[in-house]
PDB file of all heavy atoms in Angstrom:
ATOM      1  N   GLY A  24     -20.786 -18.850  -9.362  1.00 79.00           N
ATOM      2  CA  GLY A  24     -19.789 -18.892  -8.296  1.00 79.00           C
ATOM      3  C   GLY A  24     -20.252 -18.216  -7.033  1.00 79.00           C
ATOM      4  O   GLY A  24     -19.893 -18.626  -5.921  1.00 79.00           O
ATOM      5  N   SER A  25     -21.083 -17.195  -7.184  1.00 75.00           N
ATOM      6  CA  SER A  25     -21.534 -16.447  -6.007  1.00 75.00           C
ATOM      7  C   SER A  25     -22.414 -17.282  -5.092  1.00 75.00           C
ATOM      8  O   SER A  25     -22.583 -16.962  -3.915  1.00 75.00           O
ATOM      9  CB  SER A  25     -22.289 -15.188  -6.437  1.00 75.00           C
ATOM     10  OG  SER A  25     -23.564 -15.516  -6.936  1.00 75.00           O
ATOM     11  N   LYS A  26     -22.957 -18.364  -5.632  1.00 73.00           N
ATOM     12  CA  LYS A  26     -23.814 -19.230  -4.818  1.00 73.00           C
ATOM     13  C   LYS A  26     -23.008 -19.947  -3.736  1.00 73.00           C
ATOM     14  O   LYS A  26     -23.573 -20.455  -2.769  1.00 73.00           O
ATOM     15  CB  LYS A  26     -24.516 -20.248  -5.721  1.00 73.00           C
ATOM     16  CG  LYS A  26     -25.466 -19.614  -6.724  1.00 73.00           C
ATOM     17  CD  LYS A  26     -26.005 -20.617  -7.731  1.00 73.00           C
ATOM     18  CE  LYS A  26     -26.863 -19.944  -8.790  1.00 73.00           C
ATOM     19  NZ  LYS A  26     -27.336 -20.891  -9.829  1.00 73.00           N
ATOM     20  N   GLN A  27     -21.688 -19.981  -3.904  1.00 65.00           N
ATOM     21  CA  GLN A  27     -20.822 -20.622  -2.920  1.00 65.00           C
ATOM     22  C   GLN A  27     -20.527 -19.713  -1.727  1.00 65.00           C
ATOM     23  O   GLN A  27     -19.962 -20.153  -0.743  1.00 65.00           O
ATOM     24  CB  GLN A  27     -19.499 -21.025  -3.573  1.00 65.00           C
ATOM     25  CG  GLN A  27     -19.657 -21.944  -4.769  1.00 65.00           C
ATOM     26  CD  GLN A  27     -18.339 -22.240  -5.436  1.00 65.00           C
ATOM     27  OE1 GLN A  27     -17.282 -22.226  -4.814  1.00 65.00           O
ATOM     28  NE2 GLN A  27     -18.382 -22.525  -6.730  1.00 65.00           N
ATOM     29  N   GLY A  28     -20.906 -18.441  -1.840  1.00 57.00           N
ATOM     30  CA  GLY A  28     -20.568 -17.506  -0.779  1.00 57.00           C
ATOM     31  C   GLY A  28     -19.137 -17.025  -0.936  1.00 57.00           C
ATOM     32  O   GLY A  28     -18.378 -17.507  -1.770  1.00 57.00           O
ATOM     33  N   TYR A  29     -18.768 -16.061  -0.115  1.00 58.00           N
ATOM     34  CA  TYR A  29     -17.420 -15.500  -0.158  1.00 58.00           C
ATOM     35  C   TYR A  29     -16.702 -15.937   1.100  1.00 58.00           C
ATOM     36  O   TYR A  29     -17.133 -15.640   2.216  1.00 58.00           O
ATOM     37  CB  TYR A  29     -17.491 -13.976  -0.268  1.00 58.00           C
ATOM     38  CG  TYR A  29     -16.150 -13.284  -0.337  1.00 58.00           C
ATOM     39  CD1 TYR A  29     -15.086 -13.861  -1.009  1.00 58.00           C
ATOM     40  CD2 TYR A  29     -15.957 -12.040   0.259  1.00 58.00           C
ATOM     41  CE1 TYR A  29     -13.853 -13.224  -1.089  1.00 58.00           C
ATOM     42  CE2 TYR A  29     -14.731 -11.387   0.186  1.00 58.00           C
ATOM     43  CZ  TYR A  29     -13.690 -11.981  -0.494  1.00 58.00           C
ATOM     44  OH  TYR A  29     -12.476 -11.352  -0.558  1.00 58.00           O
ATOM     45  N   ILE A  30     -15.629 -16.655   0.909  1.00 61.00           N
ATOM     46  CA  ILE A  30     -14.920 -17.355   1.976  1.00 61.00           C
ATOM     47  C   ILE A  30     -14.642 -16.468   3.181  1.00 61.00           C
ATOM     48  O   ILE A  30     -13.930 -15.470   3.088  1.00 61.00           O
ATOM     49  CB  ILE A  30     -13.587 -17.924   1.440  1.00 61.00           C
ATOM     50  CG1 ILE A  30     -13.856 -18.822   0.223  1.00 61.00           C
ATOM     51  CG2 ILE A  30     -12.865 -18.705   2.521  1.00 61.00           C
ATOM     52  CD1 ILE A  30     -12.677 -18.972  -0.698  1.00 61.00           C
ATOM     53  N   GLY A  31     -15.201 -16.852   4.327  1.00 63.00           N
ATOM     54  CA  GLY A  31     -14.908 -16.151   5.566  1.00 63.00           C
ATOM     55  C   GLY A  31     -15.562 -14.799   5.697  1.00 63.00           C
ATOM     56  O   GLY A  31     -15.269 -14.060   6.639  1.00 63.00           O
ATOM     57  N   GLU A  32     -16.443 -14.423   4.761  1.00 70.00           N
ATOM     58  CA  GLU A  32     -17.075 -13.106   4.796  1.00 70.00           C
ATOM     59  C   GLU A  32     -18.592 -13.249   4.826  1.00 70.00           C
ATOM     60  O   GLU A  32     -19.137 -14.313   4.554  1.00 70.00           O
ATOM     61  CB  GLU A  32     -16.654 -12.278   3.575  1.00 70.00           C
ATOM     62  CG  GLU A  32     -15.154 -12.141   3.382  1.00 70.00           C
ATOM     63  CD  GLU A  32     -14.465 -11.361   4.490  1.00 70.00           C
ATOM     64  OE1 GLU A  32     -15.155 -10.610   5.201  1.00 70.00           O
ATOM     65  OE2 GLU A  32     -13.238 -11.494   4.626  1.00 70.00           O
ATOM     66  N   ASN A  33     -19.269 -12.145   5.140  1.00 79.00           N
ATOM     67  CA  ASN A  33     -20.725 -12.166   5.259  1.00 79.00           C
ATOM     68  C   ASN A  33     -21.436 -11.632   4.023  1.00 79.00           C
ATOM     69  O   ASN A  33     -22.610 -11.265   4.080  1.00 79.00           O
ATOM     70  CB  ASN A  33     -21.160 -11.354   6.487  1.00 79.00           C
ATOM     71  CG  ASN A  33     -20.711 -11.988   7.777  1.00 79.00           C
ATOM     72  OD1 ASN A  33     -20.775 -13.212   7.935  1.00 79.00           O
ATOM     73  ND2 ASN A  33     -20.234 -11.180   8.706  1.00 79.00           N
ATOM     74  N   ILE A  34     -20.724 -11.574   2.904  1.00 85.00           N
ATOM     75  CA  ILE A  34     -21.338 -11.182   1.639  1.00 85.00           C
ATOM     76  C   ILE A  34     -21.016 -12.257   0.604  1.00 85.00           C
ATOM     77  O   ILE A  34     -20.137 -13.100   0.810  1.00 85.00           O
ATOM     78  CB  ILE A  34     -20.837  -9.808   1.144  1.00 85.00           C
ATOM     79  CG1 ILE A  34     -19.334  -9.849   0.829  1.00 85.00           C
ATOM     80  CG2 ILE A  34     -21.145  -8.718   2.161  1.00 85.00           C
ATOM     81  CD1 ILE A  34     -18.832  -8.594   0.133  1.00 85.00           C
ATOM     82  N   SER A  35     -21.735 -12.243  -0.502  1.00 87.00           N
ATOM     83  CA  SER A  35     -21.482 -13.210  -1.564  1.00 87.00           C
ATOM     84  C   SER A  35     -20.245 -12.818  -2.368  1.00 87.00           C
ATOM     85  O   SER A  35     -19.805 -11.662  -2.337  1.00 87.00           O
ATOM     86  CB  SER A  35     -22.692 -13.296  -2.502  1.00 87.00           C
ATOM     87  OG  SER A  35     -22.794 -12.117  -3.291  1.00 87.00           O
TER      88      SER A  35
END
Side-chain angles (χ1 to χ4, degrees):
S25 74
K26 296 172 185 177
Q27 303 176 28
Y29 181 36
I30 304 156
E32 306 295 340
N33 294 319
I34 64 171
S35 71

